[in-house]
Amino acid sequence: MSGDAFRSGFVAVFGRPNVGKSTLVNALVGRKVSIVSDHPQTTRRRITGVVNLDGCQIVLLDLPGFQKPFDSLTRRMQTSVDEALTEVDAALVVLNAAEGFGAGDRYLLRAVAGAAVPSVFALNKIDLIDHAQLGRRLLEAAAIVGDHELLPVSALRGDGLDLVLAGLAAAMPTGPVYFPEGQDSDQPLELLIAELIREQALLRTREEVPHAVAVEVTDLVERSDRPLLEVQASLIVETESQKAICVGKGGSVIKAIGSSARREIETLLDVQVFLDLRVKVRKRWRRDDRYVDRLL
């Protein structure tokens, strides 16, 4: 591409919840820009990840999974997905090799087809199945993706990523450099830190808690006298019982969340971090449009 005009564009990453979109985006970018967990609704807002190739810049938009909205939070999540279809230059559609394909996959593919944008189709999580299963899954997928080529990938192992990038690069129109060299995301620091904290909370809670947890960074101070970032943040839940789960016996859970989150922030930002983390109850926050706007 180096002898041609520079090419660039925005790519919406689509898929049902928990198909590995964020893990794939992180792998393509080469750095963690989206949090990951095994819980649906982990990605709640659009996350940008930038990939620079020779003569080409691909801006990936990691989106919430396609779902039926049922409150202010999930309505906002699905709206971001719907709007992305009208704004992007291409789509990366992610399917899950470890599960059967159903109505949700077909609905997603119809929506992408209706947008009439160039699309690359990836069958993720092939590391979870054997060769024979992969063959069957490719045949099943061919019935719903039609004539499109389906690329088997493992975002976790890094298998097949070059083919995905090549397909996306070929779909990019002539365009400018949207992000300077060295910038691989557009997340504000407060939101990035909040997401890293929420990721650790998701890893340590079960039942209804992961869906009800949000994180709000209330203060962020970069010390001038020494390389230290001071962070004050709150885990937001909807009920006292959820708060008790997040705090844990003797504060064990919140301490574990805070300790792991602090290490993640330090690794990503390469700076020492002091994290003051509390748990607060805000009843029915997911149904509060103004509060959801504030968090997202």
Side-chain angles (χ1 to χ4, degrees):
M1 277 190 195
S2 56
D4 302 327
F6 194 84
R7 302 172 71 178
S8 63
F10 291 81
V11 176
V13 183
F14 293 106
R16 291 169 55 202
N18 210 28
V19 298
K21 298 185 302 299
S22 296
T23 303
L24 181 56
V25 167
N26 289 339
L28 294 172
V29 173
R31 185 180 79 87
K32 187 174 191 173
V33 294
S34 289
I35 67 170
V36 296
S37 85
D38 58 359
H39 296 290
Q41 297 184 29
T42 296
T43 302
R44 288 176 171 173
R45 59 186 179 84
R46 187 168 75 179
I47 303 293
T48 300
V50 183
V51 180
N52 289 301
L53 304 174
D54 183 21
C56 180
Q57 185 175 84
I58 302 169
V59 183
L60 301 169
L61 306 178
D62 186 13
L63 300 166
F66 261 78
Q67 63 188 308
K68 182 178 180 180
F70 56 84
D71 55 26
S72 294
L73 174 62
T74 49
R75 279 197 300 273
R76 179 59 51 85
M77 290 162 62
Q78 187 58 40
T79 296
S80 72
V81 175
D82 296 336
E83 289 177 347
L85 276 170
T86 68
E87 300 171 347
V88 296
D89 301 290
L92 172 56
V93 181
V94 185
L95 301 173
N96 187 354
E99 296 181 355
F101 307 118
D105 296 294
R106 287 188 285 272
Y107 173 77
L108 165 63
L109 292 167
R110 285 196 300 270
V112 172
V117 295
S119 300
V120 173
F121 295 82
L123 182 64
N124 192 27
K125 301 190 180 184
I126 62 170
D127 52 292
L128 299 180
I129 59 176
D130 60 28
H131 186 74
Q133 290 174 309
L134 175 59
R136 290 194 295 271
R137 196 67 82 221
L138 286 169
L139 287 174
E140 294 169 10
I144 63 172
V145 302
D147 295 331
H148 296 285
E149 182 181 10
L150 188 61
L151 303 175
V153 304
S154 168
L156 195 62
R157 292 192 313 217
D159 299 342
L161 301 187
D162 289 347
L163 291 176
V164 173
L165 288 176
L168 294 176
M172 293 296 94
T174 300
V177 176
Y178 290 104
F179 291 88
E181 189 73 29
Q183 182 178 352
D184 47 25
S185 185
D186 64 350
Q187 286 193 84
L189 184 58
E190 291 88 345
L191 289 178
L192 174 60
I193 290 173
E195 285 290 270
L196 291 173
I197 296 170
R198 186 167 69 90
E199 179 180 42
Q200 297 306 313
L202 294 179
L203 292 172
R204 288 166 175 80
T205 56
R206 288 294 182 266
E207 299 172 357
E208 83 282 3
V209 176
H211 302 296
V213 167
V215 176
E216 185 173 10
V217 173
T218 54
D219 197 24
L220 194 63
V221 177
E222 296 184 58
R223 292 281 294 270
S224 58
D225 58 332
R226 56 193 173 115
L228 177 67
L229 182 65
E230 297 180 347
V231 180
Q232 291 185 355
S234 298
L235 279 181
I236 310 298
V237 294
E238 291 187 318
T239 67
E240 290 293 337
S241 62
Q242 292 167 356
K243 178 179 179 179
I245 293 171
C246 289
V247 172
K249 185 176 181 180
S252 59
V253 176
I254 190 64
K255 288 177 183 176
I257 292 171
S259 179
S260 297
R262 176 181 54 77
R263 289 194 297 269
E264 285 284 323
I265 298 166
E266 288 179 337
T267 299
L268 199 61
L269 302 181
D270 194 24
V271 66
Q272 185 179 356
V273 173
F274 170 77
L275 174 60
D276 179 12
L277 184 60
R278 316 280 178 92
V279 184
K280 295 183 178 180
V281 175
R282 186 181 179 99
K283 295 182 179 180
R284 295 183 293 277
W285 70 262
R286 287 177 292 176
R287 300 180 181 275
D288 185 335
D289 287 328
R290 286 182 295 180
Y291 195 67
V292 168
D293 284 342
R294 189 166 126 193
L295 292 176
L296 300 185

